């Protein structure tokens, strides 16, 4: 193994090289399923992978590119600029023309466009996505986008309509146990059953998370001939070696401090945590999305305008992007922190939901059912007074206690 590959994290070193090594996501990769077909036929179209981190989105894109025998370019929408996309388009054109001249009759498969894998595609704003469109339309690029966010909201409809969306699931505990055991084999260590089970749980659906903890633990505690134990894993978790998890922890602690500060109407604290997130390069849409939820959950009917403001912040963030959108985020933060608070609508809804789950679908009172036919009218549909429209079992029940 070269020194360069030694430096790569374990998760990258054991990235599956073929579908045989790919674990889970059977709904996509089992024989006959769409990505199995794509990989075996080499025939591919633009597609978007939607799923949580560390479940194989990048890996699948690479396997598809390899099978299709096309040039492969990878970008992350977090850091890529228009120039990066432009130079990939140019390189893809050169490849295409070159192949047409040399191989047009010999290797027709090579005539397809180059594959552009665009990670975190939701981080491209509308203008950046628009820029990609003509190159996808004319076949210069086959786009494989990956996103952790719902593409219906985050990907422009013109790109969406040219792509097939595939949903990846969090990996199961059993999948993860197989993956960490493969990782251990690669590192030349063994795991007690308890340690393997812990790693699979700790990974929380994300293979990279499990493999990172395994690697950090092996670096600290691997001893020839002795398996790594649950205690080793727990000790490693306490140590400073887990940069990845520290970052993830910081990310969740800060957004949670931000929400709590707005909830406590502490404008200054809310602005401070906002500044920390902006400074760390946090996805502005991630912040704005939380603000939209907060506007209904915590401000609610005490100031219905909050939802309008938060939504506009989201829209501004989407169309403007960093750095200017930090001003919109600040504006919205001050508004939400200073707004009066009421959780009444949200709490009432969840109480109603509890009744739905407890009682199932109770019969809807006759007087508010549609009575489209004569027979139904005769049966009493649409009749009766409408003093209380709840189902009989729940008559008199009150969920909403606000004004
Ligand atoms: P994503 O793009 O979904 O964030 P990756 O495909 O980059 O995730 O996965 C990160 C690493 O985790 C891979 O290099 C591989 O080692 C491991 N991994 C992820 N998903 C799988 C899987 N389904 N089967 C086997 N290994 C996986």
């Amino acid at each position: 193994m070269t020194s360069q590959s030694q430096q790569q994290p374990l998760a990258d070193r054991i990235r599956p090289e073929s579908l045989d090594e790919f674990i889970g996501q059977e709904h996509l990769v089992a024989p006959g399923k769409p990505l199995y077909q794509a990989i075996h036929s080499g025939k591919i179209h633009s597609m978007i992978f939607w799923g949580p981190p560390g479940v194989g989105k990048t890996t699948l894109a690479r396997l598809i590119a390899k099978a299709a025998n096309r040039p492969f370019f990878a970008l992350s929408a977090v850091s890529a600029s228009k120039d990066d996309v432009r130079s990939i388009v140019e390189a893809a054109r050169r490849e295409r023309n070159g192949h047409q001249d040399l191989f047009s009759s010999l290797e027709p498969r090579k005539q397809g466009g180059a594959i552009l894998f665009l990670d975190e595609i939701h981080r491209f704003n509308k203008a950046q996505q628009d820029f990609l469109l003509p190159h996808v339309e004319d076949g210069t690029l086959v786009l494989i986008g990956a996103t952790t966010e719902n593409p219906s909201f985050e990907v422009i409809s013109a790109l969406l309509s040219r792509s097939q969306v595939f949903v990846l699931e969090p990996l199961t505990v059993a999948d993860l146990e197989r993956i960490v055991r493969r990782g251990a084999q690669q590192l030349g260590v063994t795991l007690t059953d308890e340690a393997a089970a812990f790693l699979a749980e700790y990974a929380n659906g994300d293979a990279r998370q499990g493999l990172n903890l395994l690697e950090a633990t092996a670096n600290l505690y691997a001893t020839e001939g002795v398996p790594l134990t649950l205690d080793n894993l727990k000790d490693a978790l306490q140590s400073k070696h887990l940069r990845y998890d520290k970052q993830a922890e910081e990310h969740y602690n800060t957004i949670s401090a931000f929400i709590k500060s707005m909830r406590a109407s502490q404008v200054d604290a809310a602005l401070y945590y906002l500044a920390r997130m902006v400074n760390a390069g946090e996805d502005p849409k991630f912040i704005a999305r939380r603000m939209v939820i907060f506007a209904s959950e915590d401000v609610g009917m005490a100031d219905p305008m909050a939802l309008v403001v938060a939504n506009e912040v989201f829209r501004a963030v989407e169309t403007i992007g960093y750095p200017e959108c930090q001003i919109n985020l600040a504006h919205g933060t001050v508004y939400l922190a200073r707004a009066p608070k009421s959780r009444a609508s949200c709490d009432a809804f969840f109480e109603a939901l509890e009744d739905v789950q407890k009682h199932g679908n109770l019969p809807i009172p006759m007087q508010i059912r549609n009575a489209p036919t004569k027979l139904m009218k005769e049966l009493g549909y649409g009749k009766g007074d409408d003093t209380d429209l709840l189902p009989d079992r729940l008559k008199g029940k009150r969920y909403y206690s606000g004004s």
Side-chain angles (χ1 to χ4, degrees):
M1 199 176 290
T2 65
S3 61
Q4 194 197 356
S5 64
Q6 283 285 15
Q7 278 158 13
Q8 279 186 338
L10 171 67
D12 293 330
R13 296 200 315 266
I14 62 159
R15 189 186 290 287
E17 294 280 334
S18 73
L19 216 42
D20 298 337
E21 292 171 4
F22 192 83
I23 293 169
Q25 314 295 356
E26 273 87 11
H27 63 295
L28 300 177
V29 301
K33 300 293 178 188
L35 296 180
Y36 177 95
Q37 295 300 107
I39 287 173
H40 283 82
S41 68
K43 281 191 205 130
I44 58 158
H45 304 282
S46 289
M47 53 186 106
I48 291 172
F49 295 152
W50 174 23
V55 296
K57 300 187 293 298
T58 309
T59 305
L60 278 176
R62 287 180 183 274
L63 291 178
I64 288 170
K66 196 167 142 191
N69 197 14
R70 310 254 186 120
F72 181 77
F73 301 95
L75 283 180
S76 166
V78 177
S79 51
S81 65
K82 234 180 198 179
D83 279 346
D84 295 326
V85 177
R86 196 174 286 126
S87 53
I88 286 177
V89 170
E90 276 160 20
R93 281 224 176 89
R94 275 197 304 275
E95 284 272 352
R96 204 175 183 194
N97 295 336
H99 282 141
Q100 264 167 7
D101 297 344
L102 294 172
F103 303 116
S104 53
S105 58
L106 297 175
E107 293 185 63
R109 258 169 63 169
K110 286 203 172 182
Q111 286 180 39
I115 292 178
L116 170 60
F117 176 65
L118 185 56
D119 201 8
E120 304 205 50
I121 186 169
H122 61 280
R123 296 289 298 266
F124 260 12
N125 63 27
K126 185 174 174 314
Q128 289 169 309
Q129 292 188 28
D130 278 338
F131 184 74
L132 281 173
L133 190 60
H135 310 297
V136 173
E137 273 176 336
D138 74 11
T140 309
L141 293 178
V142 174
L143 177 70
I144 304 185
T147 178
T148 51
E149 305 296 334
N150 187 340
S152 338
F153 303 131
E154 308 287 350
V155 177
I156 60 169
S157 51
L159 274 182
L160 212 50
S161 66
R162 280 167 186 79
S163 313
Q164 230 179 323
V165 176
F166 295 110
V167 178
L168 283 90
E169 304 291 343
L171 293 168
T172 64
V173 171
D175 294 338
L176 287 159
E177 199 166 323
R178 284 172 67 195
I179 294 174
V180 294
R181 286 200 184 274
R182 239 187 96 218
Q185 208 172 22
Q186 163 80 21
L187 290 172
V189 297
T190 53
L191 294 166
T192 64
D193 286 348
E194 214 183 20
F198 178 84
L199 274 170
E201 287 288 346
Y202 168 85
N204 195 17
D206 173 347
R208 182 173 271 121
Q209 178 144 317
L211 291 167
N212 282 355
L213 175 57
L214 167 66
E215 187 172 29
T217 310
N219 285 340
L220 290 169
Y221 300 110
T223 317
E224 183 101 41
V226 184
L228 291 175
T229 63
L230 179 58
D231 281 342
N232 292 152
L233 293 169
K234 288 187 170 164
D235 288 343
L237 271 173
Q238 307 292 326
S239 80
K240 293 196 177 70
H241 292 260
L242 286 176
R243 228 184 99 246
Y244 173 84
D245 295 312
K246 282 264 176 268
Q247 272 176 4
E249 201 182 313
E250 170 79 7
H251 164 92
Y252 287 108
N253 284 343
T254 320
I255 190 75
S256 146
F258 172 67
I259 301 284
K260 285 182 181 142
S261 303
M262 290 198 298
R263 190 171 288 147
S265 299
Q266 292 200 12
V267 178
D268 302 298
L271 282 169
Y272 169 79
Y273 291 114
L274 172 67
R276 250 171 76 163
M277 289 188 288
V278 168
N279 193 50
E282 181 62 86
D283 179 356
K285 281 191 282 182
F286 170 75
I287 306 173
R289 201 175 292 117
R290 292 309 167 100
M291 291 169 69
V292 175
I293 298 166
F294 182 90
S296 282
E297 185 175 357
D298 288 273
V299 179
M301 292 302 291
D303 177 5
M305 196 62 189
L307 179 59
V308 179
V309 171
N311 250 317
E312 287 306 309
V313 170
F314 186 84
R315 242 163 54 99
V317 158
E318 206 176 22
T319 44
I320 293 169
Y322 275 145
E324 290 85 352
C325 77
Q326 55 192 330
I327 302 166
N328 305 106
L329 287 168
H331 179 178
T333 301
V334 171
Y335 189 96
L336 293 176
R338 293 193 43 181
K341 311 285 183 312
S342 163
R343 291 181 56 95
S345 59
C346 166
D347 290 347
F349 168 73
F350 283 106
E351 262 186 63
L353 189 62
E354 234 181 82
D355 271 348
V356 170
Q357 283 160 356
K358 193 157 89 196
H359 300 294
N361 286 341
L362 294 172
I364 295 172
M366 286 295 189
Q367 71 262 36
I368 47 171
R369 292 201 209 176
N370 288 331
T373 65
K374 191 160 164 268
L375 174 67
M376 287 166 90
K377 261 188 207 136
E378 280 165 17
L379 288 174
Y381 279 64
K383 271 197 209 136
D385 68 67
D386 46 25
T387 41
D388 189 344
L389 302 181
L390 280 165
D392 286 345
R393 278 282 300 262
L394 299 173
K395 287 241 185 292
K397 183 97 192 217
R398 291 294 162 258
Y399 302 114
Y400 185 65
S401 59
S403 53

